[in-house]
Amino acid sequence: EEMNDAETAFALRRECADRGHTPSCLRTAAAYLRGIGVGQSFAGAACYYKKAAEGGSIEGIFFLGMLYAQNCGVRFDYHTAVRLLTVAAEHGYPQGREMIDKMTERRRAAALDRIYSAACALYHKGQVARSTELLIEAARRGHARAMYRLGCHLEYGEGIERDQSRAAALYRAAAEAGYNGMNSRMKCGFLHQR
């Protein structure tokens, strides 16, 4: 079976890459990443971006960091991704800083979602006061659903002293943060008074 031009070019580049030629490592990694001349393989791309990074290539460092950040070809490793992307950002790849910011925000959001979920579970177990404490923590850190739910606790005096004006402020904040819980209690006019 004859190889087509893309396969031939890939085979020649990979041969050079395997001898440590950094530009060939980059092109081989890119070919694996896009499936040009070879079947797409994120693991293959990671292998050759790592070789390029070891050869001093900032581009290799950047793309290897992106693969770590996105769990492609290598197992997700936040700390390795941040380390690599920081180096890349410091050497002309601002996208490295952007990815670090996205990863950090995802981690922050996931942590707040866990706090919110724990608060909901405690509420359903009848531990309203502890649930309210967790909602206060999550709301203070910007979690929109926690703001809304804490507003409900304040509106009805569940686990916390009743306070209509704080409830309204939290409903407004939740709406401004993008949460649409019952249109944030009908735009703070509340649905009904108890």
Side-chain angles (χ1 to χ4, degrees):
E1 181 181 322
E2 284 190 36
M3 295 195 300
N4 66 32
D5 290 343
E7 291 169 336
T8 301
F10 173 79
L12 292 172
R13 257 190 249 111
R14 185 170 146 184
E15 199 176 298
C16 292
D18 287 340
R19 285 185 292 209
H21 186 251
T22 300
S24 295
C25 291
L26 290 170
R27 287 192 287 280
T28 300
Y32 271 122
L33 194 62
R34 294 178 184 91
I36 299 170
V38 64
Q40 185 178 41
S41 168
F42 293 121
C47 174
Y48 284 93
Y49 280 131
K50 183 176 183 187
K51 287 180 183 217
E54 290 168 349
S57 167
I58 299 301
E59 183 179 348
I61 291 169
F62 170 72
F63 280 105
L64 184 60
M66 292 295 285
L67 291 175
Y68 273 106
Q70 297 173 346
N71 194 32
C72 292
V74 290
R75 199 165 70 194
F76 174 79
D77 184 330
Y78 177 82
H79 298 292
T80 299
V82 167
R83 182 176 47 80
L84 292 168
L85 292 169
T86 298
V87 170
E90 290 170 351
H91 291 88
Y93 279 82
Q95 308 94 316
R97 173 56 45 206
E98 292 167 14
M99 179 54 85
I100 292 169
D101 292 345
K102 286 179 188 173
M103 290 173 19
T104 302
E105 176 54 29
R106 280 195 301 258
R107 281 176 68 118
R108 186 192 75 78
L112 292 178
D113 283 344
R114 285 190 297 276
I115 292 169
Y116 176 77
S117 294
C120 292
L122 288 168
Y123 180 84
H124 291 294
K125 289 180 182 176
Q127 297 177 30
V128 179
R130 180 66 184 129
S131 169
T132 302
E133 290 171 14
L134 291 178
L135 289 174
I136 289 169
E137 179 183 344
R140 196 173 285 141
R141 293 169 58 189
H143 193 275
R145 285 181 300 168
M147 291 176 199
Y148 172 79
R149 188 118 180 199
L150 181 58
C152 292
H153 283 239
L154 285 160
E155 180 181 354
Y156 299 118
E158 291 183 304
I160 194 168
E161 188 176 326
R162 190 171 183 201
D163 186 332
Q164 300 290 308
S165 63
R166 280 182 60 205
L170 282 164
Y171 291 144
R172 246 184 251 97
E176 288 169 8
Y179 187 70
N180 191 18
M182 283 192 256
N183 272 340
S184 282
R185 303 295 280 166
M186 300 309 271
K187 298 295 183 204
C188 305
F190 306 137
L191 296 176
H192 61 276
Q193 299 292 326
R194 275 191 176 179

